Amino acid sequence: MNQRLRLYSAVIAAASLAAPINAQIAFTANSSQLTGTYGNPSCVVDMNGDHLDDVVRFNGNQLTIAFQQAGGGFSEQSFITATVNPNWSICAGDLDANGYNDLLLGNGSANSFLLANSDGSAYTEQYFSPYIFSQRTNMADINNDGMLDAWSCHDVGLSKPYRNTGAGVMVEDQSMIQQTVTAGGNYATVFCDYDEDGDLDLYFSKCRSGAPIGDAQRINLLYRNNGNGTWTEAGAAAGVNDGSQSWISVFEDFDNDGDFDFFVGNHSGTGSTANRFYRNNGDGTFTDIIATTGLNAGALGAWEGNGGDFDNDGWVDLFTEAGGGIWRNNGNGTFTNFAIGVSEGGIGDLNNDGWLDIHLGQTIRYNNGGSNHWVKFELQGIFSNKNGIGARLKLYGPWGMQTREIRSGNAFSHMSTLQAHFGLGAATAIDSVVISWPSGVRTVLAGPGIDQLHIVPEAECTLAPIEVEVVGSTTICTGQSVTLNAPTGFENYMWSNGSTASSITVSQSGNFSVVGIDENNCAAVSNSIAVSVVTSEAPQITINGDDEFCQGNTVELVSSVGTNAIWSNGATGASVLIGASGDYTGYRRWRVRCGDQCSRDDHGQPRCRCSRSR
C-alpha cells in the first residue's frame, strides 16, 4: 500500500450506476488438491496471516488446515483433536489479537473455542460444557470494547453471547444482549448494521418443526442495537417478523444504494408468504419485493445461503439452495439463475486470482473468471478488533457506490473469507474507499489500485488514550442535552457520531467516543461515554387521605418510583408530607397543586382543596 491514509469523515458523490457486463458464471471443480475424507461445514479463511485464504477442515474432531501456497496449491497440516465435532457450524476470528485466527465450533450439545498460539503452530481449547444445541456461530465485537466477542444460536433455549475478557478468554454473559424473546427455534443469526447508525444489529432466522403459525419459535427477530448497551426487538416495526420457518438470511447491498437488503430462505408458505427478498427502505424498515426479482419465491427448504460478486461485475449475487446455485444479480433489481453443480459452501479466493471460489467437502470449485476487474481489502484493526469485523466499506467510482461489511459467520453453517471483495466490471480506476471502523475511526483511501489486495491498518500510528470531558449529566430527559469535549492539541477530530468538531452536544442515547488525529496523522482514541435519555412512562403520584384538608394539617403524597423519587421541594424518598399550598412535582414533571382558594367548613374553619395535574 503506497497511498497515505487519511482518517476523516467524508461525503463523496456517487456517479450513476454502470451497466453490468459479462453474463456468464462458471466454475471448474477440483477434487485432487485436498486429501483425506473430511466433512462438516466449510471454513475458508486466512489462518496463518499470509493474506491468502486457507481451508479449515475437520475429520470428526480432528482439525486439519490446508494452507494456500503463494505459487498455487495447498500444504496440509493437522493440529488439535477438539472436544467438539463442529457438525453444525464454524466461525473464525482473532480473539486474542495475536495475528492468527481462532475458531468457534458448534454442534448439537456444546461449543468450543480453539485459540492459536503466538506463531500459529498449535491450538489450545476452551470448552463450554453447559448444554447448547448450537446452530449458527458468529464472532463480533458485541459491546464495542475493541475485543472480539462471540455468539451461538440455541435451537431449544436462550442463545448464548460470549464476552471476551481479554487475551481471548471467553465467558458466557447474558447481559451483553438482553433477549426479550426466550423461545427456541434459533437457527441462524447475522450481525449487520442495517440502520447505518454505526453499531451492529442482530437478525434471527427462526424455525420449529410442528409449531403452529404465530408460535414465537418460528417468528424471525430483529434486535436493534441502541448503542448504549441495550437492545430493542424491532422485527415487527421493521416489517421483517416473518413466520414461515426460516433457516437462513443473506444480508448484502444488492441494489448498491449504500444499505443492506436481505434474502430469507423459508421452509413453509406459498406465494408471497414463502421466500422473501427485503429491500431496505433507508428509514429502519423493509419492503418484501421478491415478486419482482425473478427469484423463486416457492423454492422452499433451503438450509444455506450467502452472497458474493462471482462475475466481478459490481453487483452482489445470491448463492443459495433456494432454486439451486447462483442467482446472478442483473443490476436492475432482477436475478438470473446459474446451476453450478453446488448450492452451498465456504466462499473465498482460493487461487489468489481475484475471483471468488467455493469450497465444500473434498472439492474446490475454481471460478473460471473473465475480463472484469476487481479489488480486495484486508483490514488490520488497532483500536477496533484485529480483523475489523463489523467495519463497513464503501467503494466509489464510475459505477457509483458499492458497500461491504466484514462478518464472521454468514449462511447457516459455513465460514467465508474475512477479506472484502469488490467486482469493478470494466472500470479501470477507483475514486476512493471509505472504511467506517467499529471504533468510530474513518479511513479514506484515495485512488487505490485495481486488481490487487490492499492491506489497510486502522491508523498509521497510535498515541496514548485520551479522556472526554463531560459537561452535565449523562442521564438526561427528552429535550435535554449534555456536552462532550475532546482534549485540545489535535489537528482533526472524529467522533463516533460522525462529527468533526472538538466538542459535541448530545441529546440522544448512545455511546460516544472521539479519535484525535495529530499533525503526523497519528490517532488517539478516547474512552466511551454512555448517554441515556429517560423515555419511560412518567411515574404516578397518589394522595393518602382526603384531598380536602384544613390549614395546619398535612397530606401525604406517594410516588410510584419508590425511594428513588426526588420531589420539587427538595425532599427525597417514596413519599412526602405537604402542609402548604404550592406546586409539587414528584419526578418527571408530574405535579400536585394545593390551591390557594379556601372556603369555610361547617365549623367555620378554613378548608383547602388539592388537585392533581401534569
Side-chain angles (χ1 to χ4, degrees), residues 416-494:
S416 296
T417 182
L418 288 170
Q419 295 176 348
H421 169 270
F422 295 86
L424 305 178
T428 57
I430 299 168
D431 291 342
S432 64
V433 61
V434 179
I435 304 170
S436 298
W437 299 79
S439 66
V441 168
R442 281 179 173 81
T443 300
V444 178
L445 181 59
I450 67 170
D451 297 335
Q452 61 184 282
L453 169 68
H454 296 271
I455 301 167
V456 186
E458 193 168 4
E460 292 185 40
C461 50
T462 61
L463 302 171
I466 54 179
E467 292 287 328
V468 171
E469 178 191 22
V470 179
V471 181
S473 173
T474 56
T475 300
I476 57 179
C477 294
T478 302
Q480 295 181 329
S481 62
V482 58
T483 299
L484 306 180
N485 296 326
T488 60
F490 292 95
E491 291 288 313
N492 298 292
Y493 296 92
M494 169 52 58

Side-chain angles (χ1 to χ4, degrees), residues 34 48 52 75 121 191 285 292 323 374 383 444 471 504 584 590 606:
L34 302 177
N48 60 354
L52 299 173
S75 175
S121 62
F191 283 91
T285 67
T292 64
W374 53 273
F383 310 115
V444 178
V471 181
I504 59 174
Y584 297 91
W590 277 84

